[in-house]
Every structure is written in C-alpha cells, then in structure tokens.
Amino acid sequence: QVQLVESGGGLAQAGDSLRLTCTASGRTFTSSGMAWFRQAPGKEREFVAGISAHGYTVYADSVKGRFTISRDNGKNTIYLQMNSLKSEDTADYYCATRAGVMVVFTTQSSYDLWGQGTQVTVSS
C-alpha cells in the first residue's frame, strides 16, 4: 500500500520551533516533487512549501525565511523545519506528492497522494 505518513506536530509557543516529518512507504518517491500544505480551521487548504526531485524549493510568502523544506531520499522522507512559529501557523499540515512528477506545484489538484495530516497548534 502506497502511503504518506506525517508526524512531528504538536503544541508550541509563539517563537518556538517544530520539525514535521513525512515518510513515504510502498514505493520510492525520489523522482517526485513533494509538498507541504496546511489547513487552518474554517479556511481553505493552502500551499506551504515544496521540493522538487532535484532539490529545488518553493515557499509561500507567509513562511519564507522561517520554514525550510528538505528531503532525505535514502529514507524516502521529507521534512519541514518550522522556526519562529506564529499563532497564524496553527493548522493541520499535510504532505502530498504525485508519482513521476519531478517538479513542484502550488495547487492542491496537482497532487494525488496525501498523508493523513498532523496538527500544529501555536499559542501566543
């Protein structure tokens, strides 16, 4: 079974750091771009960051300079290092990919495999 599993969410104070992990299983995704999205209560799911198969990264303006996406192809895993957290970062975070697509897209519809999400709550 092909799946993505996120972990690392939790409760943080404003200014703290968290690192999210997304591990793929069932097949390798080293040739695929991967991305993080988030959905805050009552809001649309939005793009956060993405990394191409070659390591090119893209960030939403709201997280640029604070979040860093990276990948470890040997572990079939991507990470989202979140620093200087703000209350507006509170959301469920999802990783996503589409097998065989090497680039990063910022739209949800470009991805067909999603994790179950991990919750991040930042208190001010």
Side-chain angles (χ1 to χ4, degrees):
Q1 181 182 1
V2 179
Q3 61 178 353
L4 302 176
V5 178
E6 302 98 334
S7 61
L11 180 62
Q13 299 277 343
D16 283 354
S17 298
L18 284 175
R19 188 176 80 156
L20 305 184
T21 299
C22 171
T23 300
S25 62
R27 60 158 291 164
T28 180
F29 287 92
T30 56
S31 298
S32 301
M34 299 186 75
W36 287 97
F37 286 76
R38 67 186 181 186
Q39 186 167 19
K43 294 190 176 181
E44 299 273 325
R45 190 172 296 188
E46 63 177 3
F47 173 81
V48 176
I51 185 165
S52 74
H54 293 126
Y56 178 77
T57 57
V58 180
Y59 296 94
D61 287 343
S62 59
V63 307
K64 205 171 291 184
R66 299 188 298 122
F67 290 11
T68 302
I69 188 172
S70 60
R71 66 190 300 160
D72 183 338
N73 288 335
K75 296 181 179 180
N76 228 16
T77 295
I78 64 168
Y79 305 96
L80 185 68
Q81 178 67 43
M82 306 187 295
N83 298 331
S84 302
L85 283 164
K86 303 176 180 179
S87 57
E88 51 261 47
D89 295 320
T90 294
D92 291 326
Y93 284 72
Y94 301 88
C95 63
T97 190
R98 190 178 190 100
V101 177
M102 300 178 71
V103 299
V104 172
F105 295 97
T106 61
T107 54
Q108 293 185 61
S109 59
S110 301
Y111 299 93
D112 61 1
L113 181 65
W114 293 80
Q116 83 290 348
T118 186
Q119 188 174 57
V120 172
T121 302
V122 183
S123 60
S124 56

